[in-house]
Amino acid sequence: MNKFTNSMKITDQVILGEDRPVLFAGPCAVESFDICMEIGSKTKEWAERNGFSYVFKASFDKANRTSSNSFRSIGMDKSLEVLQRVGKELDVPLVTDIHESYQAKDVAEVVDVLQIPAFLCRQTDLLLAAAETGKAVKIKRGQFMAPEDMQYAVSKVRAAGNDNVCLTERGYSLGYHNLVVDMRSLPTMRQYAPVVFDVTHSVQQPGGQGGSSGGQRQFAPFLARAAAATGIDGFFIETHPEPSKALSDGPNLVPLDKMEGFLEMLKEAWEMGRKYADFSV
């Protein structure tokens, strides 16, 4: 059940689905070059110290905000310029979201992984546009999608001739303003592609603060450890030095000063999960 069908090559040195977990981490959104560098430099150091391969993450545009009054972007061109500078200065691969098919080509010139947002995981044209860039494609499972149905999103990417694809778990909607993670989804989806667990958005409360999303970050360590124990391939964590001042998703961000300990805990749980990944009853 836990056997993945293939790996996802991000760079020659960073491959998801092999014997080293991959960490996708950074701020929710590109706020400034300085913030991205502060987060990226520290997270890279801690990731490497704890045996993770590291991919810097930040969204160039938050096109799916609850309210039009919420922060969205500092601008596509400026955000991509920041991402490119961070990638070069830190010598790390990059991942960011795309929301429209026309964005795929331009964004792929800057980043190594194109992320498909959860609500867009069934959008065929978006998946194909991402796949056709030749870059790795990271698909988030929709909050409305059964885990086994994500195989069809993977198939769309592969049908375009791109085998570098993975799936990401971020919880499913249970009632209003609430997400619940079904841990069975992790080994289920891992039959189709490597799997990443989204620690941050699994504790999100969509729209839970009346026009903006809330979050319960206190549960992040518990969900992260549980996911790691299934022997998955990577983790997605958004972090910020001052979550209360972050321009997006502050309530569910892991404080930057907690990240070193968080990764140490996560690696220990992941090693146990990999040890028993083939155990079945």
Side-chain angles (χ1 to χ4, degrees):
M1 189 73 163
N2 282 316
K3 289 293 186 181
F4 50 83
T5 56
N6 71 331
S7 58
M8 184 181 88
K9 182 178 179 181
I10 298 171
T11 68
D12 288 339
Q13 293 75 38
V14 180
I15 300 175
L16 182 72
E18 296 196 336
D19 294 329
R20 183 180 174 94
V22 176
L23 173 68
F24 302 83
C28 180
V30 175
E31 298 181 8
S32 70
F33 174 72
D34 290 342
I35 285 288
C36 287
M37 280 298 295
E38 178 184 358
I39 294 171
S41 59
K42 292 180 179 178
T43 304
K44 178 187 178 183
E45 177 186 348
W46 297 329
E48 291 178 345
R49 185 181 301 166
N50 285 285
F52 291 85
S53 296
Y54 178 53
V55 179
F56 178 81
K57 181 271 166 186
S59 297
F60 75 87
D61 178 26
K62 304 304 296 183
N64 55 353
R65 298 297 82 189
T66 304
S67 169
S68 61
N69 295 322
S70 298
F71 170 80
R72 178 167 173 174
S73 174
I74 61 173
M76 181 173 179
D77 292 342
K78 189 174 180 180
S79 293
L80 291 178
E81 180 183 341
V82 168
L83 286 171
Q84 191 168 46
R85 289 180 62 193
V86 170
K88 287 183 177 179
E89 294 207 18
L90 296 181
D91 190 26
V92 295
L94 305 166
V95 58
T96 196
D97 319 75
I98 57 171
H99 293 84
E100 303 281 353
S101 300
Y102 74 85
Q103 296 171 339
K105 183 177 179 181
D106 289 341
V107 176
E109 292 180 0
V110 174
V111 306
D112 305 273
V113 184
L114 297 174
Q115 180 168 273
I116 307 300
F119 281 124
L120 302 178
C121 68
R122 288 179 54 163
Q123 297 300 107
T124 300
D125 289 345
L126 183 63
L127 290 166
L128 293 179
E132 288 166 0
T133 66
K135 294 298 179 76
V137 181
K138 181 177 179 291
I139 311 170
K140 287 194 172 186
R141 182 179 72 81
Q143 298 91 324
F144 49 87
M145 291 284 287
E148 58 269 23
D149 290 342
M150 291 304 295
Q151 65 181 294
Y152 304 112
V154 171
S155 295
K156 290 176 183 179
V157 173
R158 290 184 174 147
N162 189 339
D163 289 330
N164 278 326
V165 57
C166 74
L167 295 170
T168 298
E169 170 61 40
R170 50 102 9 108
Y172 69 90
S173 296
L174 182 67
Y176 302 117
H177 302 158
N178 194 39
L179 297 171
V180 171
V181 177
D182 180 359
M183 291 296 167
R184 295 174 299 179
S185 69
L186 301 173
T188 298
M189 294 195 301
R190 203 160 178 260
Q191 297 174 95
Y192 318 124
V195 168
V196 174
F197 181 65
D198 183 342
V199 176
T200 305
H201 294 96
S202 293
V203 298
Q204 186 186 58
Q205 295 175 307
Q209 292 189 338
S212 64
S213 293
Q216 297 176 306
R217 73 167 63 93
Q218 69 270 26
F219 294 120
F222 300 98
L223 292 180
R225 288 198 300 269
T230 69
I232 55 171
D233 307 290
F235 303 89
F236 178 100
I237 306 175
E238 292 179 342
T239 181
H240 197 279
E242 296 183 88
S244 64
K245 295 183 180 179
L247 299 181
S248 180
D249 275 0
N252 42 265
L253 302 182
V254 175
L256 185 61
D257 63 3
K258 298 287 187 179
M259 278 292 286
E260 183 175 15
F262 201 103
L263 295 178
E264 182 178 351
M265 169 197 73
L266 203 54
K267 183 63 184 308
E268 185 174 340
W270 182 84
E271 288 176 342
M272 182 193 73
R274 276 301 174 99
K275 180 178 180 181
Y276 293 103
D278 292 329
F279 182 82
S280 62
V281 293

